[in-house]
Amino acid sequence: MSTQTPSTAWQERIADDEAARYEAYARRFADIQRRKSARYGTGRTLHRKQLTAARGELRVLADLPEFARHGLFAAPGSHEVLLRLSNGGLNKASDSMPDIRGFSFKVWGVSGDGALGGPALSQDFTLINQEKFAFAGSAEFVDLVEAASHGNGALVKFFFKRYGFYRGPVQLAKLLKTAAKSFKGFTTESFFSSVPMACGPYAVRVRLLPASSNGPASADAQKDWGADFARRLATGALQYELQLQPFVNEKTTPIEDASVNWPTPYTTVALLTLPQQAASPDLLEQAESNVFDPWQALEQHRPLGDVQRARKVVYFQSQQGRGASAKPLS
């Protein structure tokens, strides 16, 4: 069998203490959310700053390979989409500041059992402009976010305390390099799930690839990424390819280590089209108040791995904290 052949032999490794640990993470994130909401108003813990929103259509393609032909991608068809673009940080900082950028969208009109039980309301994709996660698992990430929530001084102290006098500066430099990765705009950048989900009996990661016809952002787009994207969308449609990357074996494409960049090839399974449209205050409000959660998903696309399992608990607490729910487009 080729080392690139999609495999169903993936496994999750669930630790005995996970339930208690994830509940503790949720409490810590809830505290951060309360503190930041007191400053900025009710909102998310991470990806607090919404940049813009849009409507779109996801068209699932025909004749897909067997590993992809499950859940949302089981048959050709079109689905309505709600899109939210965001900066990844805890604060509502200037767009010119280095940050992770988020490209989240909710696919409506799905049919089947949901990953959270009951019928699925939507299939959500929460993508970022990083191909792999910054850490192998959730524990280190939660500690980092908590330190960052108290400011740059606390963040520097965290790195020295966690990694020591010699490794601390190295790890801090790696983080800053990740956050400062060159970003040229939402019309030209690729976005990634960075962590896996199920695709029927298979496991996959996701990439969103922009069409070359989208064209670049304006020269001063970093002053306001959302306004630049809205101006571009007001002049014509934008298109992206939604692609899946399969698990092949534990060594090459690990499920539990989110810091590993999977080397397997991507397959285009659907086209995301955002038709020409004007920015709408109502749509901006709908995207801001809606839930974008990888666990708002079909059971066939259940999120996989430690980072994703932690998200299930933390996201639920976060949604309760801001009174959010999944609300279809009106």
Side-chain angles (χ1 to χ4, degrees):
M1 180 181 289
S2 167
T3 57
Q4 300 297 300
T5 301
S7 169
T8 60
W10 56 270
Q11 289 185 329
E12 290 186 283
R13 298 190 303 274
I14 299 175
D16 293 339
D17 68 339
E18 275 194 0
R21 248 188 320 117
Y22 294 164
E23 287 293 340
Y25 296 166
R27 290 192 294 271
R28 292 163 70 182
F29 265 68
D31 177 65
I32 296 168
Q33 185 179 33
R34 282 192 295 269
R35 287 191 283 111
K36 295 300 179 179
S37 292
R39 179 176 180 181
Y40 297 110
T42 302
R44 294 162 169 82
T45 308
L46 294 169
H47 291 272
R48 178 172 284 270
K49 186 177 181 180
Q50 176 171 293
L51 299 174
T52 193
R55 294 175 184 264
E57 177 190 63
L58 186 75
R59 180 167 62 86
V60 177
L61 303 178
D63 301 320
L64 299 180
E66 200 278 331
F67 85 87
R69 208 164 51 245
H70 304 277
L72 176 63
F73 313 111
S78 294
H79 301 265
E80 194 172 13
V81 165
L82 173 64
L83 165 71
R84 180 183 189 263
L85 304 184
S86 61
N87 290 337
L90 296 155
N91 305 315
K92 290 190 174 181
S94 166
D95 285 7
S96 62
M97 296 290 290
D99 206 344
I100 303 299
R101 314 296 171 179
F103 194 118
S104 297
F105 60 98
K106 182 178 287 291
V107 181
W108 299 110
V110 301
S111 179
D113 293 336
L116 294 173
L121 300 177
S122 64
Q123 177 64 49
D124 292 7
F125 295 92
T126 55
L127 312 180
I128 59 173
N129 63 319
Q130 304 288 336
E131 194 160 8
K132 60 186 179 66
F133 202 63
F135 302 105
S138 60
E140 196 169 16
F141 177 70
V142 172
D143 289 345
L144 171 76
V145 171
E146 185 170 43
S149 75
H150 293 287
N152 292 337
L155 186 61
V156 172
K157 288 180 182 178
F158 161 78
F159 275 94
F160 278 94
K161 184 177 180 180
R162 171 61 69 91
Y163 301 107
F165 184 79
Y166 294 104
R167 288 186 60 217
V170 175
Q171 294 298 112
L172 178 59
K174 284 174 62 177
L175 177 71
L176 294 175
K177 183 179 179 181
T178 297
K181 175 188 173 184
S182 174
F183 184 72
K184 297 180 174 62
F186 287 90
T187 61
T188 58
E189 293 281 346
S190 293
F191 291 85
F192 308 87
S193 65
S194 302
V195 284
M197 70 176 192
C199 193
Y202 295 90
V204 298
R205 288 187 182 182
V206 178
R207 179 172 74 174
L208 194 68
L209 188 70
S212 58
S213 59
N214 285 356
S218 62
D220 63 348
Q222 73 279 4
K223 295 179 181 178
D224 190 331
W225 292 116
D228 180 79
F229 187 86
R231 283 194 298 269
R232 173 64 186 81
L233 198 53
T235 66
L238 296 172
Q239 192 169 81
Y240 303 81
E241 293 181 37
L242 185 67
Q243 302 178 318
L244 302 183
Q245 178 187 38
F247 168 92
V248 293
N249 59 61
E250 182 58 31
K251 181 179 179 180
T252 306
T253 52
I255 295 295
E256 298 292 346
D257 187 345
S259 68
V260 174
N261 196 11
W262 288 14
T264 47
Y266 288 97
T267 296
T268 298
V269 296
L271 299 178
L272 174 64
T273 300
L274 307 177
Q276 181 177 345
Q277 57 193 279
S280 161
D282 289 343
L283 194 63
L284 290 170
E285 172 58 30
Q286 187 159 18
E288 181 60 20
S289 63
N290 229 303
V291 168
F292 293 84
D293 179 349
W295 283 90
Q296 292 282 351
L298 291 158
E299 173 61 25
Q300 291 269 291
H301 298 312
R302 176 174 64 86
L304 302 175
D306 166 61
V307 171
Q308 296 275 55
R309 295 193 300 274
R311 274 178 163 177
K312 180 181 182 179
V313 181
V314 172
Y315 274 39
F316 177 78
Q317 184 74 40
S318 174
Q319 291 157 23
Q320 297 296 106
R322 65 187 186 91
S325 61
K327 296 179 279 289
L329 286 166
S330 55

